[in-house]
Every structure is written in structure tokens, then in C-alpha cells.
Amino acid sequence: MVPSRLLSVGPRTVFGGVGRWTRVAPGQLPWHAPPRLLSASCADLSKHQEPPGKKPLSEKKLKRHFVDHRRVLIRGGCGGDGVSCFHSEPRKEFGGPDGGDGGDGGHVILKADQQVKSLSSVLSRYQGFHGQAGGRKNCSGRGGAVLYIRVPVGTLVKEGSEVVADLSCPGAEYVAARGGAGGKGNRFFLANDSRAPVTCTPGQPGQERVLFLELKTVAHAGMVGFPNAGKSSLLRAISNARPAVASYPFTTLKPHVGIVRCDDHQQIAVADIPGIIRGAHRNRGLGSAFLRHIERCRFLLFVVDLSEPEPWTQLEDLKWELEQHEAGLSRRPHVVVANKVDLPEARAAVPRLRARLGPSAVALSAATGENVEALLLRLQELYRQHVATELQRGRQPLRW
Ligand SMILES: Nc1nc2c(ncn2[C@@H]2O[C@H](COP(=O)(O)OP(=O)(O)OP(=O)(O)O)[C@@H](O)[C@H]2O)c(=O)[nH]1
Ligand SMILES: [Mg+2]
């Protein structure tokens, strides 16, 4: 078990207008924006800020903030009943059957919506709208309206252990439960040999299903790193997303997605995944629950803290954890980002890092914006590679 908060946080250590970061070199403005080739916007502006004096939450409670799985009982609407009645008019004694049919029950549909970021808004049970019963004078009942359940893009729908739908594109729909058919009125049973049928049928009940919804964040790039490596700071530096930044581990409790807009009008979605520690696949720290958010990222940013002794061991540990979760995950196209190069001990470690990992590792400072441009160029390169490979395989590349 890793303690949920190793260091306490005061208002002065928090970024983003809340306080000031204290370890900035003299004469340098904290958070002065790097000159940007690429502009940025935000996909999730939600901010996790604690009111002062709030008690630290236990690790178990921390995990509840972001809901990425749900069990839902879904029932389609019932069909309306058919009606049995006869036409009645003065001087028209045998007007015949005129009972109308019931309306069909409404379907319940799961719809992927980019505005929805977690499954926390999804309830545990849903009932579709019922159809109306038929009426006199052959009037059919009104059908039940369709009930839409909005879920985040990247929601996997399972029934038992079988995957029945993958809502990975915005606007994708899945009919979770069909509405029941409306009943027939007695007019329907009129036949040559049965001129005055009294039979009518009731509406059918809607389909009932228990579904398991599982969210896997969909983004082009996923940031993988130990807690406190500076992932959230980096996401703030390259996009307008505003995940909380603080000097204690596990500040980020849910994936945040920031959008980096390139000058060629392409948009690269970068996900900040909660910190991973040694043994995460055995459910240490925030556990393996967050490792599955990495599965869908097309390429990875391994973020290591260069001010730590032997930062390359962090990289080996991260790769090991990913491999334990899913074989081949660590071999996805990636770039190694060595953060906190503004600190003297980190700057001194750059030559050793290059000797270990080669010149491809990007040493930068998320806090001062130093060398962030190099990372943005690498991101663009990885994105172009992704588009080219997907088109080569005859698949549509992920567009944000
Ligand atoms: N000196 C220096 N400090 C940094 C830099 N980037 C982040 N930090 C500090 O490192 C600490 C952790 O930063 P976060 O961005 O919250 O780290 P994280 O990887 O998102 O951490 P978790 O959300 O806990 O996984 C904060 O105190 C930041 O001020 C940097 O480039 N230079
Ligand atoms: Mg964070």
C-alpha cells in the first residue's frame, strides 16, 4: 500500500491561479508560456481542488471520484394494449369493430457523447417509455419515445463476459433494450368468418437486460508516468486542459484529455492518466483500473522525473507494468519525456540520460516551458505516423 498523500499541500504549492509554484529560477516568471507553434484548447475543464482544511481521503475513497464502470438494468418500454370496442352511431346498429392497436414501447439507446466524461451520470436502472393503449374509432396509441442514455466516447458494453458494443466514435449508438410491440385492437381480427370479434391483445413487455458499461479513454496519446513526474503539469503546458497539479502523489484521480491543435488543423488528443507505481498490475496504488485507459491510446508519452536518481529505472518499471497488463502495450510508438530539467540536479543528469536512452528522449521543463516545442513536434510526427499506418491498413485514423 502506498499512502494516499505523502506530503501535505499548502495553497502556495498548487499551480493554476490557486497559488504559486516556489521552485522557479530567479528572474524567471512562473508559468511563462512557451512560444507555441501549436495552439491548444481544452476537452475537460473540470478541476479537482480541495477546500483548505479538508481531511485527506483514503485511497479507497479517492478511487470513487471517477466512475469508469457501471452495471445497469435496462428495460424497454411496454407496448400499449389493443382495445376491443364497436362502432356506435344512431341508426347504424352493427357498426363493426373499431378498437385501435396499442403503440409500441420506446427503445432505450446508449449514445456516445463527447460532452460526457465519466459514467458517474449513468444510473443503475432505466425504464423506457411505454406505448399508449389504442382508442375507439380505430385510433392507434402513440408509440413510446426513445430514451437515450448518454455515455462517454470509448464505452465498452458487455453482457456477461461478451462484448456486445464498442461506442468508440462520437455519436455511435447501441440499442440496449427494445420496446415491446403494441397489442392489437379487435378491428385487427375482423375477418369474413368473424364479423364481430371481441378479441384484443395486450402490449408486449419491453426487453430487459443487465449490461456492464466499461469506459476506456480514447485519445491519440496517453501520458504514462510515476506519480509526481509532472504529467498534469505537462498537459497544462501543451493544452488548455486544467488537471490539478500538486506536490503529492495521486493528485490526478481520473484521466483528463487535453487537445493540442496543430497548425494544419489537425487535433491531437492527449490523455493524462493517473500515476502508475511499481506493482500497479497487482492493484497497488490506484491499481490496474487505470492501466486499461492506456489500451486505446495510439501512442504513448513516458514521463519520467529527471530530478530523481536513475530516472531510466522509472522507464523500465513503467514498461514492465504495461507489459504485465497487456503484452505488447509498451512497444507502441512512444516518446520518452524527461521532465523537470529546470532543476540543477535534473540538468546534470541529461548527458547520462542521453547515454542510456539515446538522443530521442526529450528533456524539458513543464513548469518553465523549456523545450516543450520539441515535444510538440514529436507529437505531430507520431500523429502523422498513426494516420499513415491506419490508412495503409484500410482503417480510418482516430479524429478528434
Ligand atoms: N521543478 C519542476 N517541478 C515540476 C515540473 N513539473 C511538475 N513539477 C512539480 O512536480 C509536482 C507534481 O506535478 P504534477 O503535474 O501534479 O505530477 P503528476 O505526474 O500529474 O502527479 P500525479 O497526478 O500524482 O500522478 C508538482 O509539485 C509540480 O510543481 C517541472 O518541470 N519542474
Ligand atoms: Mg497529475
Side-chain angles (χ1 to χ4, degrees):
M1 285 287 279
V2 162
S4 61
R5 197 156 300 163
L6 295 180
L7 301 169
S8 66
V9 60
R12 289 181 65 78
T13 52
V14 183
F15 279 127
V18 181
R20 286 179 55 199
W21 172 58
T22 44
R23 294 170 83 177
V24 175
Q28 241 171 358
L29 279 178
W31 280 114
H32 78 100
R36 279 215 194 121
L37 287 179
L38 315 172
S39 67
S41 88
C42 166
D44 184 358
L45 283 169
S46 61
K47 211 170 179 179
H48 173 73
Q49 285 180 7
E50 288 182 19
K54 200 175 154 191
K55 270 193 204 164
L57 294 172
S58 72
E59 198 171 299
K60 202 172 164 191
K61 279 187 182 159
L62 288 176
K63 280 189 258 179
R64 288 190 199 142
H65 283 260
F66 177 69
V67 180
D68 58 359
H69 55 274
R70 267 270 195 256
R71 175 187 179 277
V72 201
L73 171 67
I74 302 178
R75 282 197 201 105
C78 298
D81 295 339
V83 163
S84 176
C85 57
F86 289 87
H87 189 72
S88 132
E89 212 177 302
R91 292 189 295 285
K92 202 167 180 187
E93 197 179 342
F94 302 107
D98 74 346
D101 299 340
D104 293 335
H107 300 325
V108 183
I109 294 182
L110 295 169
K111 186 168 185 175
D113 185 335
Q114 261 186 323
Q115 303 302 315
V116 183
K117 296 296 170 200
S118 100
L119 293 170
S120 57
S121 59
V122 176
L123 306 175
S124 57
R125 56 178 63 204
Y126 284 91
Q127 170 66 64
F129 294 105
H130 300 314
Q132 265 181 358
R136 304 186 70 90
K137 299 184 183 170
N138 292 320
C139 290
S140 300
R142 182 189 293 170
V146 174
L147 175 65
Y148 285 99
I149 307 174
R150 298 186 320 137
V151 292
V153 175
T155 301
L156 212 62
V157 186
K158 288 183 178 174
E159 192 167 24
S161 54
E162 189 196 347
V163 177
V164 289
D166 183 0
L167 306 175
S168 52
C169 335
E173 291 184 4
Y174 175 68
V175 181
R178 297 190 168 276
K184 298 294 181 197
N186 63 340
R187 169 80 191 186
F188 178 82
F189 297 97
L190 180 67
N192 284 345
D193 53 348
S194 166
R195 303 306 301 163
V198 287
T199 318
C200 61
T201 56
Q204 298 293 308
Q207 197 181 7
E208 182 176 313
R209 292 172 85 184
V210 177
L211 298 177
F212 296 90
L213 307 183
E214 200 178 290
L215 174 61
K216 291 185 179 182
T217 304
V218 178
H220 294 111
M223 280 198 222
V224 188
F226 274 40
N228 265 348
K231 300 177 292 300
S232 306
S233 310
L234 191 57
L235 189 67
R236 279 172 166 253
I238 60 173
S239 80
N240 280 355
R242 288 290 170 267
V245 167
S247 58
Y248 55 83
F250 303 116
T251 314
T252 306
L253 297 169
K254 60 172 198 166
H256 286 253
V257 180
I259 307 295
V260 180
R261 289 216 176 99
C262 310
D263 39 12
D264 53 0
H265 303 291
Q266 301 289 6
Q267 306 195 94
I268 308 174
V270 182
D272 172 18
I273 313 279
I276 288 165
I277 58 167
R278 292 177 189 93
H281 72 278
R282 277 185 272 114
N283 238 8
R284 285 195 64 212
L286 289 183
S288 58
F290 287 108
L291 286 173
R292 75 159 172 263
H293 292 284
I294 301 163
E295 285 171 28
R296 298 222 167 161
C297 296
R298 308 309 197 255
F299 39 91
L300 304 175
L301 303 184
F302 287 110
V303 185
V304 296
D305 183 347
L306 201 50
S307 65
E308 294 276 312
E310 307 211 333
W312 38 90
T313 53
Q314 290 178 31
L315 183 66
E316 281 157 24
D317 288 338
L318 289 170
K319 285 189 172 174
W320 161 256
E321 288 303 324
L322 295 195
E323 279 304 311
Q324 293 310 302
H325 180 71
E326 188 188 303
L329 198 54
S330 69
R331 289 194 294 275
R332 292 227 175 132
H334 62 262
V335 48
V336 179
V337 180
N339 190 26
K340 308 195 185 180
V341 80
D342 57 301
L343 299 176
E345 62 269 31
R347 201 175 291 280
V350 174
R352 277 183 295 142
L353 179 90
R354 296 237 186 275
R356 285 266 178 167
L357 305 178
S360 60
V362 181
L364 54 74
S365 166
T368 61
E370 188 184 332
N371 212 19
V372 167
E373 277 306 312
L375 172 64
L376 293 173
L377 292 173
R378 291 296 305 278
L379 265 180
Q380 265 187 309
E381 213 175 281
L382 284 170
Y383 177 75
R384 285 200 198 107
Q385 266 173 24
H386 157 69
V387 173
T389 344
E390 290 297 285
L391 292 177
Q392 231 173 35
R393 290 179 187 162
R395 291 198 305 232
Q396 269 305 311
L398 172 66
R399 302 249 183 236
W400 200 263

